Amino acid sequence: MAGRSGRAALITPDAAKPTPVARARRFLKDQIDAQALRWRLWAPVAFGGGCAVYFGLRVEPPLWPPGLAALVVSAAWLAARRAGLTRRWTLPLMLLACFALGLACARLRTGATAAPIAPAMSRPTVIEGWVVDVDSPGAAGPRVVIVPVRVRGLAPEATPVRLRATVRGEAPGPGEAVRLFAVLNPPPAPASPGAYDFGRNAFFQRMGGVAFAVGETRPAWLPEPPAGLRRTMAINGLRYDLARRIVARLGPRTGGVAAAMTTGHEAWLDPAEVDRMRDSGLAHILSISGLHMAVVGGFAFFLFRLLVAAWPWLALRVSGKKVAAWAGLLAVGTYLVVSGAPPPAERAAITAAIAFVAVLLDRQAISMHALAVAALVVLALQPEAIVTPGFQMSFAATAALVALVEAWPRRPKEISAPWPILLVQRSGAWLGAAVLASLVAGAATGPFAMQHFNRTAMYGLLANLTVAPISDFVVMPMLALGALLEPLGLGAPFLWAAGQGIGATLDVGGWVAGLPGAVRTVASAPDVALPVAFLGVLFCCLWRGPLRWLGFPFACAVLLWPRPPAPAIWIGDGATQAAFVHERTAVVVRPGVRRFAVDVWSRRRGVQAVERPGEAWSCSRFACAPATPESGPVALWWGRRPPGPAQLEALCRSAPVVVVRPELGVLPSACEGRLVLDGVDWARGGAVELWRDGQPEANRWRAKWVSEARGDRPWSRFAAAPPPE
């Protein structure tokens, strides 16, 4: 009895129960304590936030303010750590230091990358230079990348470092010296305000202009190029030769895809096939990305680990895991060179390399900390990656998959079970893991696909589950072996096997793309929605514990954010194209002209582009105007010469908005009360969207120009065209 009474005294009947507030505090404390080793994961997030803020500025900042801020805050953080202050002080200082370092690093990168940008020249000019690589073809024909030596009309210090040139006939190969008579322009501005900025992307590739040849490509006699350029052209020549050999082996349909997946050359891709792959959610297979690097590096890793294990003498003397990691590093580096090292491949190679280095250092290869290091390294080397869809989608998907691995339950291994039961169990587990991984990766990348590409492949999960085993276990390993052995003439059987897998992949993509409702177009949300969604996805992935689901509503911001009304009129850069919205459709004034820009703008605004009905419009060689007020609100003159007084008066009488490509002088009386936009506006603002401001009778409009969205940044500053010779 004494023992019982003693034990009962430990818990008194009148002991106070914890209040709900106390339980909530205890729960929150436990959740925060669970993040003890994960706070550092937010360092690359803060660093990327600094990079993103820099690219979101409308005016280029001087270097000293972000540099000084980074120095001061970093010093304060290090001093706080040395003083032994608690995390309550050091964590905010660490995040502020990373933010300031990201801002300063992005500014430094811009200054180090800056190169001359070509002006919009009034007449065709002569370009002489070296073909450094063959680029993917455009709508107007094959394209090459040229390092210009001389450009008539430009001083040597104003000559761009690189140009992308559309040529006539067959594209010259890397290493050829060429002479072009071409129209030279700066890199293209966004198709509409807020759309993806190709000019910014070209700036960080030091691509200072685009040229359109108006004559045949001729050989040129130029001085010997520098050693670095000769080495680059030699490597690209080997890549291009390998791509042609692959296409010759497999044929244009499957060989074009194999060449794109191996060397990055897309010259042989069928545009219709690419559209079907995009509509099925399989377009990521066609471009070199993290998936390809992971498969190639992983294949080399497991192959060499198997080979070491199969040789007992060697297995007893070396670490098979570390030998395999060195092999994986070599495979990733080789693939990076063969692919031409585009920025997405560089980012994927850095991520894969850090995983293999973790193996060499006896650390866990696939972990959230390794991914954080990879993100920090990528952003330190390429701060501009933070605003590219590839980086955002790749790291969001990888973080989601790593979080899934962390949360995946560990099943106890069976001691003894019949193999049929084991086969069924493991097949079901593999299928369930594959479905869940595809769902998680798709959910993580969904906000970026909707915001950047404005389309959702409704059956993408089905297509990727069907194709993943073929791509991972057949296509990529066989392509790696085939590309390695093809220069020796021994790659035929491996390339044939890869071609069979590619053919099956294309068949699946075509079938899925043909299903009813395969693609859904989604208008872009306001710009603020994507950062909110990105932070929501990262919170779901990085936070450990049930509170991670607080980030889920924010991750859905792009899907849930209300869309602003579509503009009434869109006018393309240079007034060569226009469209107006009528009953959720975009009526295109000039069908077939600047299709890419029309497609980008219409998908971004969630409207379907349709051709203009011919009978409702009066068109000539240089102009189109509505025949009746009900036909449309805009009249377009795209001729390079100004319209005559009578022509301009007719345009003003036909529509409330008159768009003229060249600069105008005196306006006739018929243009009073009309909105007239001319060459001065295009030179200053680029493309524009117009909304009605008030009643239609007032003919008042609110405009949003591309120049307003871009701001005054180094990639948006173009030199004035030289005077005609």
Side-chain angles (χ1 to χ4, degrees):
M1 292 296 294
R4 291 181 182 177
S5 63
R7 285 194 297 270
L10 296 177
I11 304 177
T12 59
D14 57 347
K17 295 182 179 180
T19 64
V21 174
R23 288 199 300 268
R25 288 179 177 176
R26 181 65 182 176
F27 173 77
L28 291 176
K29 184 179 184 303
D30 292 341
Q31 294 299 306
I32 293 175
D33 291 342
Q35 318 305 317
L37 299 178
R38 297 179 74 86
W39 293 116
R40 68 189 69 175
L41 298 178
W42 291 95
V45 178
F47 191 94
C51 299
V53 166
Y54 167 79
F55 287 105
L57 297 175
R58 294 293 177 264
V59 178
E60 186 68 13
L63 178 58
W64 69 266
L68 180 61
L71 183 63
V72 170
V73 181
S74 298
W77 171 50
L78 294 175
R81 284 178 58 89
R82 184 177 293 274
L85 297 182
T86 62
R87 185 178 289 121
R88 180 182 302 176
W89 296 97
T90 59
L91 178 61
L93 286 173
M94 180 195 74
L95 296 179
L96 282 175
C98 290
F99 180 88
L101 286 169
L103 190 62
C105 185
R107 178 62 181 83
L108 284 170
R109 166 75 169 164
T110 299
T113 309
I117 298 178
M121 306 189 75
S122 57
R123 293 181 180 179
T125 188
V126 176
I127 301 172
E128 294 179 313
W130 296 94
V131 177
V132 69
D133 201 2
V134 177
D135 204 2
S136 57
R143 298 189 299 184
V144 295
V145 178
I146 295 177
V147 174
V149 176
R150 290 186 292 267
V151 177
R152 182 186 296 173
L154 292 182
E157 63 273 11
T159 301
V161 175
R162 290 190 174 192
L163 297 173
R164 180 178 284 113
T166 301
V167 299
R168 294 193 174 189
E170 186 177 356
E176 295 187 32
V178 296
R179 188 174 190 268
L180 299 176
F181 187 60
V183 176
L184 182 61
N185 287 298
S192 65
Y196 184 72
D197 195 341
F198 293 95
R200 181 180 59 203
N201 185 51
F203 176 86
F204 286 100
Q205 295 179 2
R206 310 200 82 188
M207 197 77 65
V210 292
F212 296 88
V214 296
E216 297 296 328
T217 304
R218 301 178 181 275
W221 286 264
L222 301 173
E224 186 177 11
L229 180 57
R230 291 200 306 271
R231 183 170 55 252
T232 301
M233 291 190 296
I235 293 174
N236 290 337
L238 294 175
R239 293 176 47 241
Y240 192 56
D241 180 67
L242 176 61
R244 288 190 292 190
R245 294 174 68 124
I246 291 174
V247 173
R249 290 274 192 192
L250 302 179
R253 182 173 184 260
T254 58
V257 176
M261 296 173 67
T262 306
T263 67
H265 287 297
E266 301 179 352
W268 295 274
L269 288 178
D270 182 4
E273 203 78 65
V274 174
D275 289 339
R276 286 190 288 270
M277 295 292 282
R278 186 179 295 115
D279 292 344
S280 63
L282 297 176
H284 62 91
I285 294 177
L286 302 179
S287 59
I288 297 172
S289 61
L291 172 65
H292 301 75
M293 285 289 176
V295 172
V296 170
F299 174 71
F301 179 85
F302 288 110
L303 176 63
F304 274 81
R305 193 168 187 185
L306 178 64
L307 292 175
V308 171
W311 189 359
W313 180 88
L314 185 62
L316 292 173
R317 289 165 173 79
V318 300
S319 170
K321 190 175 182 180
K322 294 189 177 182
V323 170
W326 282 111
L329 279 172
L330 180 61
V332 167
T334 303
Y335 189 25
L336 181 64
V337 173
V338 172
S339 68
E346 289 182 349
R347 295 192 290 268
I350 291 171
T351 305
I354 287 176
F356 288 126
V357 170
V359 173
L360 294 174
L361 298 177
D362 297 318
R363 301 293 182 90
Q364 187 176 353
I366 301 176
S367 68
M368 203 66 80
H369 287 87
L371 181 63
V373 172
L376 199 57
V377 172
V378 168
L379 289 174
L381 296 176
Q382 300 176 354
E384 69 276 9
I386 193 65
V387 292
T388 60
F391 174 87
Q392 296 168 0
M393 298 177 72
S394 175
F395 276 89
T398 307
L401 292 175
V402 174
L404 178 63
V405 171
E406 291 179 340
W408 194 263
R410 300 293 188 269
R411 293 178 62 250
K413 293 185 177 180
E414 300 86 351
I415 298 177
S416 62
W419 68 265
I421 296 178
L422 291 177
L423 179 63
V424 172
Q425 288 179 342
R426 292 177 181 176
S427 299
W430 180 86
L431 181 61
V435 171
L436 191 57
S438 296
L439 282 173
V440 167
T445 58
F448 310 99
M450 286 188 287
Q451 185 74 359
H452 291 297
F453 306 118
N454 305 111
R455 66 170 71 212
T456 301
M458 304 305 294
Y459 307 114
L461 175 61
L462 172 64
N464 281 279
L465 285 177
T466 306
V467 165
I470 303 173
S471 177
D472 296 350
F473 300 115
V474 178
V475 175
M476 289 306 301
M478 293 300 102
L479 275 182
L481 291 173
L484 183 65
L485 297 175
E486 181 59 24
L488 304 177
L490 303 176
F494 303 102
L495 291 177
W496 176 86
Q500 299 302 306
I502 291 172
T505 300
L506 294 176
D507 291 339
V508 171
W511 173 70
V512 172
L515 295 176
V519 182
R520 181 180 177 185
T521 301
V522 182
S524 294
D527 293 340
V528 68
L530 190 60
V532 171
F534 203 173
L535 290 175
V537 170
L538 291 176
F539 190 86
C540 289
C541 297
L542 301 184
W543 191 271
R544 174 168 286 174
L547 288 183
R548 67 172 48 178
W549 299 113
L550 292 176
F552 183 74
F554 298 94
C556 298
V558 172
L559 179 64
L560 302 177
W561 208 289
R563 268 50 175 176
I569 300 173
W570 166 79
I571 304 163
D573 187 16
T576 55
Q577 180 61 287
F580 61 92
V581 176
H582 176 69
E583 297 179 354
R584 303 301 302 169
T585 61
V587 183
V588 181
V589 174
R590 299 180 67 193
V593 176
R594 302 198 64 182
R595 292 180 179 177
F596 179 75
V598 171
D599 184 52
V600 168
W601 169 75
S602 61
R603 285 191 289 106
R604 177 174 170 77
R605 289 304 182 182
V607 293
Q608 180 67 37
V610 297
E611 295 187 355
R612 167 189 48 79
E615 65 275 4
W617 286 72
S618 173
C619 294
S620 62
R621 183 180 178 184
F622 300 114
C624 263
T628 63
E630 294 77 17
S631 302
V634 59
L636 180 65
W637 176 279
W638 61 85
R640 292 184 179 273
R641 295 181 180 276
Q647 294 170 319
L648 183 57
E649 184 173 351
L651 290 173
C652 289
R653 293 184 184 278
S654 65
V657 177
V658 178
V659 178
V660 180
R661 184 176 184 178
E663 183 179 348
L664 296 175
V666 180
L667 298 179
S669 58
C671 294
E672 293 183 6
R674 301 295 199 234
L675 176 62
V676 181
L677 303 175
D678 67 352
V680 175
D681 300 300
W682 316 126
R684 181 178 62 246
V688 64
E689 292 177 325
L690 300 175
W691 288 263
R692 288 192 181 274
D693 190 5
Q695 296 298 322
E697 295 79 10
N699 197 36
R700 297 176 60 186
W701 300 86
R702 177 170 54 87
K704 186 175 182 181
W705 297 86
V706 161
S707 61
E708 297 175 5
R710 295 185 95 189
D712 183 18
R713 307 306 300 272
W715 47 85
S716 63
R717 301 169 187 166
F718 302 146
E725 297 180 356

